[in-house]
Amino acid sequence: MGTRLELQSKLEELLGSDQVYYQPPESVKMEYPAIVYSKVGIKPFNADNRKYLMKNRYEVIVIDRMPDNPVINKLLELPFSSYDRPYKSGNLNHDVLTIYY
């Protein structure tokens, strides 16, 4: 299982900037485009009636003024990733993904 800091580095690499925030407090002033992510669970993977792998489940939100940020497709190329939903808030586009890492 990869660490959260390894995921942080990967997200920064894919975004091309350090505007990647893990569970940021509301006082943080973000710059866009940005990625906000948080741990939302742990998924066990089973084989032979045993748990052989545990992966942390993260909700990853890409926030940008553009509706189609290219980092979304890069994130979907990661193993164990899926696209959940888009929404708009405060003139910013949000794309929500799930990544097991």
Side-chain angles (χ1 to χ4, degrees), residues 13-63:
E13 173 190 328
L14 294 174
L15 184 62
S17 79
D18 63 352
Q19 303 302 316
V20 177
Y21 307 93
Y22 179 69
Q23 298 178 339
E26 291 192 23
S27 61
V28 170
K29 176 81 170 133
M30 287 192 265
E31 296 181 30
Y32 305 104
I35 292 177
V36 174
Y37 69 108
S38 59
K39 184 176 173 182
V40 293
I42 300 174
K43 168 120 173 121
F45 291 86
N46 300 312
D48 283 339
N49 296 322
R50 299 174 52 192
K51 292 178 186 170
Y52 75 94
L53 181 63
M54 303 284 281
K55 289 199 173 274
N56 290 318
R57 179 176 167 229
Y58 293 94
E59 179 181 71
V60 177
I61 305 173
V62 178
I63 307 170

Side-chain angles (χ1 to χ4, degrees), residues 47-91:
D48 283 339
N49 296 322
R50 299 174 52 192
K51 292 178 186 170
Y52 75 94
L53 181 63
M54 303 284 281
K55 289 199 173 274
N56 290 318
R57 179 176 167 229
Y58 293 94
E59 179 181 71
V60 177
I61 305 173
V62 178
I63 307 170
D64 198 354
R65 289 178 177 85
M66 296 184 336
D68 295 318
N69 189 307
V71 76
I72 296 165
N73 288 334
K74 293 177 187 177
L75 290 168
L76 289 171
E77 291 175 2
L78 295 174
F80 306 108
S81 65
S82 62
Y83 187 86
D84 295 335
R85 68 191 178 283
Y87 66 93
K88 191 164 184 172
S89 176
N91 290 327

